Amino acid sequence: MSELLARHRAVMPQWMALYYAQPIEITGGKDNRVVDGAGNSYLDFFAGILTNMIGYDVAEVREAVERQLATGVVHTSTVYLLRGQVELAEKVARLSGIPDAKVFFTNSGTEANEAALLLATYERRSNQVLAMRQSYHGKSFGATAVTSNRAWKNNGLSPFHTVFLHGADKHLPQFAGLSDADYIKVCVEDLRHTLATATGGDVAALIAEPIQGVGGFTMAPDGLFAAYKEVLDEYGILFISDEVQTGWGRTGQSFFGIQNHGVTPDAMTFAKGLGNGFAIGGVVARGDLMDAPHAVGLSTFGGNPIAMAAANATLDYVLSHDLQANAAERGAFILAGLHEAASRFPFVGDVRGKGLMFALELVDPSTGAPSPELASRMMEETRSRGLLAGKGGLYGNVMRMAPPLTLTSEEAAEGLQILIDSLEAISS
């Protein structure tokens, strides 16, 4: 492994992050477990950054891809009719709840967010965009411009005039002690004040994650985006929900994260889990919004036949096995266990999440300050016990976890026990 790591460092950029003091190569996987190059087995609680949504080596997905490969058609591009693309778009449009919805497929969430921002700025003839503090929307020039996390921004250059809102930062001292209802009122008044003071009055859109992924699974209280949308509608401002991490039933409460707020957005972006490891992204939006741009458009690789085969099979599996309900049940069990255990560990600053999207925030027990060092220790402890997790948060002090939606009750109990054992190890 040290030889592969040396080769990696010789040819890969140094800013390309690797987990763990001794990075691992994943060489195999089955169901919800993976194996590394040294033969170690792990229960996967991060799913390739929320992408292996129904686990590994799923027969239905593998066979769908093999059938497409057997036709000899791996690629055509969107200048030809693609049956799998049409079929998937029909499903996504129906599930979105957006009236008269149309779908455009891309290769990633970053591309999807770029496309959605293009639609919004074209429609409104404005480059002014609202986004949320602590947000992350991708690594491209435009997506970085609406990202509010300094660790993921190389400079302040931007194609947009972006203003960042409160809404997922109830933990800040100025909001301490507020109920969710009072916090929503404060945030709505701040939105009105922001529109009056920091914009030119013709804002194109608000783009927001219902639960912030890189932000450490911080989230707005349910109902905040409904309150925001009332204000946005007064000004004709469009609303884009970034569902790259929250889509397809992961939160347990709803099929798309924004539905927890009782909101139908103008557009939603998606990616990651829909392809169960195959590259896919996309935008689903109101038909008039999607049809509006006058320039010719296509996608060379977006929505390619292989990705469509995988995505159709994955979505069908999610629906036929009611994995949203499974996410609700397994997530509630794990979160309850973590909440109960957290009271014994003063360095656990917060336990949060919905469904199979949950996090532990680690802090200095004496000051309450964010502790990325403890998060790194926790990563090593869980790995040594056979569990893979993720790390994030504005200060890098959050363990974020999102197992495959196929997680069993036995695996949920196993993973919870590993987390508790790792907390015990850190406390000793």
Side-chain angles (χ1 to χ4, degrees):
M1 193 59 62
S2 59
E3 183 262 346
L4 181 59
L5 179 59
R7 289 167 59 193
H8 171 98
R9 287 175 172 162
V11 295
M12 302 293 184
Q14 63 181 2
W15 43 258
M16 205 165 91
L18 289 169
Y19 278 165
Y20 306 116
Q22 295 297 320
I24 63 175
E25 177 192 11
I26 293 177
T27 58
K30 180 68 177 177
D31 299 328
N32 301 322
R33 298 180 189 273
V34 295
V35 177
D36 71 13
N40 301 305
S41 177
Y42 304 93
L43 179 60
D44 190 358
F45 263 34
F46 203 38
I49 317 182
L50 293 82
T51 300
N52 297 298
M53 182 168 67
I54 59 174
Y56 297 84
D57 194 24
V58 180
E60 288 85 343
V61 177
R62 184 183 67 251
E63 291 166 4
V65 170
E66 288 172 346
R67 285 194 297 272
Q68 183 59 46
L69 283 169
T71 69
V73 180
V74 173
H75 171 75
T76 63
S77 90
T78 57
V79 297
Y80 303 103
L81 289 170
L82 288 161
R83 184 174 299 275
Q85 193 174 96
V86 173
E87 291 171 349
L88 184 59
E90 290 171 340
K91 296 170 189 175
V92 173
R94 173 177 57 83
L95 291 164
S96 74
I98 296 173
D100 303 314
K102 291 191 174 184
V103 181
F104 176 71
F105 291 107
T106 66
N107 298 288
S108 69
T110 294
E111 287 184 25
N113 285 329
E114 288 279 358
L117 290 165
L118 172 65
L119 295 175
T121 53
Y122 182 92
E123 173 77 7
R124 294 281 291 160
R125 296 296 193 270
S126 169
N127 75 333
Q128 297 184 94
V129 176
L130 302 173
M132 307 297 290
R133 294 187 183 197
Q134 306 171 163
S135 60
Y136 176 83
H137 296 288
K139 61 184 180 298
S140 64
F141 190 47
T144 301
V146 295
T147 287
S148 177
N149 185 323
R150 190 172 63 185
W152 293 86
K153 295 172 80 82
N154 287 306
N155 55 54
L157 300 174
S158 172
F160 305 115
H161 173 74
T162 308
V163 180
F164 295 101
L165 303 176
H166 296 290
D169 51 9
K170 190 170 179 284
H171 58 281
L172 292 177
Q174 59 264 46
F175 304 124
L178 292 181
S179 67
D180 284 353
D182 287 340
Y183 177 65
I184 289 172
K185 289 178 183 177
V186 168
C187 289
V188 169
E189 287 307 310
D190 182 69
L191 169 59
R192 290 190 179 279
H193 192 256
T194 296
L195 291 172
T197 60
T199 74
D202 55 347
V203 174
L206 165 64
I207 184 169
E209 304 159 273
I211 299 177
Q212 296 180 329
V214 169
F217 293 174
T218 47
M219 69 190 83
D222 287 354
L224 180 132
F225 289 121
Y228 270 179
K229 195 168 188 308
E230 290 184 10
V231 179
L232 301 179
D233 288 348
E234 291 177 24
Y235 291 84
I237 299 169
L238 302 174
F239 182 33
I240 302 165
S241 182
D242 180 340
E243 300 278 351
V244 170
Q245 298 199 27
T246 49
W248 322 116
R250 177 163 290 282
T251 70
Q253 294 181 10
S254 62
F255 202 67
F256 292 102
I258 198 60
Q259 293 166 346
N260 294 333
H261 293 261
V263 170
T264 300
D266 299 285
M268 291 194 295
T269 58
F270 56 85
K272 287 193 181 290
L274 179 58
N276 205 50
F278 287 84
I280 189 172
V283 184
V284 54
R286 292 189 342 244
D288 63 311
L289 184 61
M290 188 71 80
D291 286 339
H294 65 271
V296 175
L298 54 79
S299 182
T300 302
F301 290 105
N304 71 82
I306 300 297
M308 292 298 96
N312 271 299
T314 299
L315 185 52
D316 290 347
Y317 191 100
V318 168
L319 296 171
S320 65
H321 289 75
D322 195 9
L323 293 188
Q324 179 182 327
N326 192 64
E329 184 175 352
R330 306 293 174 245
F333 170 81
I334 293 171
L335 279 163
L338 290 176
H339 277 292
E340 182 181 3
S343 61
R344 307 200 306 269
F345 306 108
F347 55 85
V348 177
D350 192 21
V351 175
R352 55 178 175 262
K354 286 184 179 180
L356 287 177
M357 192 173 187
F358 47 89
L360 288 168
E361 184 166 354
L362 303 180
V363 300
D364 185 301
S366 58
T367 66
S371 179
E373 296 81 12
L374 282 176
S376 294
R377 283 185 60 192
M378 186 71 177
M379 290 283 286
E380 298 293 343
E381 293 290 346
T382 54
R383 177 206 165 178
S384 71
R385 290 169 172 78
L387 182 80
L388 299 185
K391 189 167 67 169
L394 188 62
Y395 303 105
N397 66 314
V398 178
M399 287 269 301
R400 58 183 183 128
M401 291 159 280
L405 302 187
T406 47
L407 192 74
T408 67
S409 58
E410 294 79 11
E411 289 167 338
E414 178 188 351
L416 174 61
Q417 191 59 56
I418 290 174
L419 290 169
I420 294 172
D421 290 347
S422 299
L423 291 170
E424 293 278 8
I426 290 175
S427 67
S428 61

